[in-house]
Amino acid sequence: SGGPSENAEAFSEADFLRLTEEVRGQRYDGVVVGWDTALTYYKITKSALVFQLHPDAFFYATNDDAADRVGSCLLPGNGPLLQAIEGACAACAASRVGREQPYSAEAVVLGKPNPDYARLIAEWNGIDLRRAVMVGDRLETDMVMANRAGMKALFVLTGVDDLDELRRQASSQDVSVDAVLTQVGPLW
């Protein structure tokens, strides 16, 4: 299955030219990529046009998670979607390649594992991160953020990663955990 027969609408050259004029005629401050189960070629093209026609537009992403667990299977997360838009940006707005973020061809990830995200929340709520614990089920986001922000890291085995992945990443990346739980329930 898949292909043009499942598209709600074809995207023609005339549509591209109309979209180009629409993007050219409007103000765009930036592009923010979040998980979008309806991501289309049209949306990727519009993002590429924003980067071409508005070279000072910022580029952010909510996260770059590779996959999410649903039942016993994984589905693509925001990371693969983000890679498509980053690739389109680099290909169509080459002047952004090598520029400082958030004006480059690579998005700044605002959420986990960005430690500034944790620091800002801690500041807003008067939390000492040295006394805080990050509870999470994803090594490359939750646990890395805990490590980078100076929090304790409590890894829960209910997400994408398991103990084998923890062992692999602990020896090769900046991932360390202080404790592991099979599920969150034992905390309560």
Side-chain angles (χ1 to χ4, degrees):
S1 72
S5 66
E6 292 187 346
N7 291 345
E9 188 175 320
F11 187 62
S12 68
E13 185 174 331
D15 293 327
F16 174 75
L17 294 173
R18 275 192 295 281
L19 179 60
T20 301
E21 291 312 309
E22 175 189 316
V23 171
R24 185 186 318 276
Q26 294 183 9
R27 176 182 168 185
Y28 287 89
D29 294 326
V31 172
V32 178
V33 179
W35 193 56
D36 181 354
T37 60
L39 183 68
T40 62
Y41 182 77
Y42 178 88
K43 291 178 181 179
I44 294 169
T45 300
K46 186 172 184 178
S47 296
L49 285 169
V50 168
F51 295 130
Q52 289 175 71
L53 300 172
H54 303 276
D56 292 325
F58 59 74
F59 189 12
Y60 293 113
T62 59
N63 69 77
D64 60 359
D65 295 348
D68 292 303
R69 182 169 302 285
V70 176
S72 62
C73 295
L74 298 175
L75 67 120
N78 197 52
L81 307 179
L82 175 60
Q83 289 174 353
I85 295 174
E86 287 176 333
C89 179
C92 299
S95 65
R96 293 179 68 104
V97 174
R99 283 183 67 190
E100 189 172 323
Q101 291 177 309
Y103 307 104
S104 72
E106 294 182 16
V108 173
V109 177
L110 296 174
K112 302 175 290 183
N114 187 339
D116 294 334
Y117 180 63
R119 292 179 188 124
L120 185 60
I121 292 170
E123 181 182 322
W124 288 344
N125 294 284
I127 297 169
D128 179 356
L129 289 177
R130 295 169 300 182
R131 296 177 41 109
V133 177
M134 174 67 173
V135 178
D137 62 2
R138 187 181 296 269
L139 293 168
E140 72 275 3
T141 56
D142 302 332
M143 300 300 99
V144 169
M145 184 170 97
N147 296 162
R148 290 179 182 169
M151 295 184 279
K152 297 290 184 191
L154 175 61
F155 181 55
V156 184
L157 298 174
T158 56
V160 173
D161 299 317
D162 57 20
L163 283 175
D164 290 335
E165 186 63 22
L166 173 62
R167 288 184 194 100
R168 276 191 294 280
Q169 289 196 31
S171 65
S172 64
Q173 295 183 12
D174 60 340
V175 177
S176 65
V177 302
D178 297 292
V180 178
L181 290 177
T182 57
Q183 57 185 341
V184 178
L187 288 176
W188 320 116

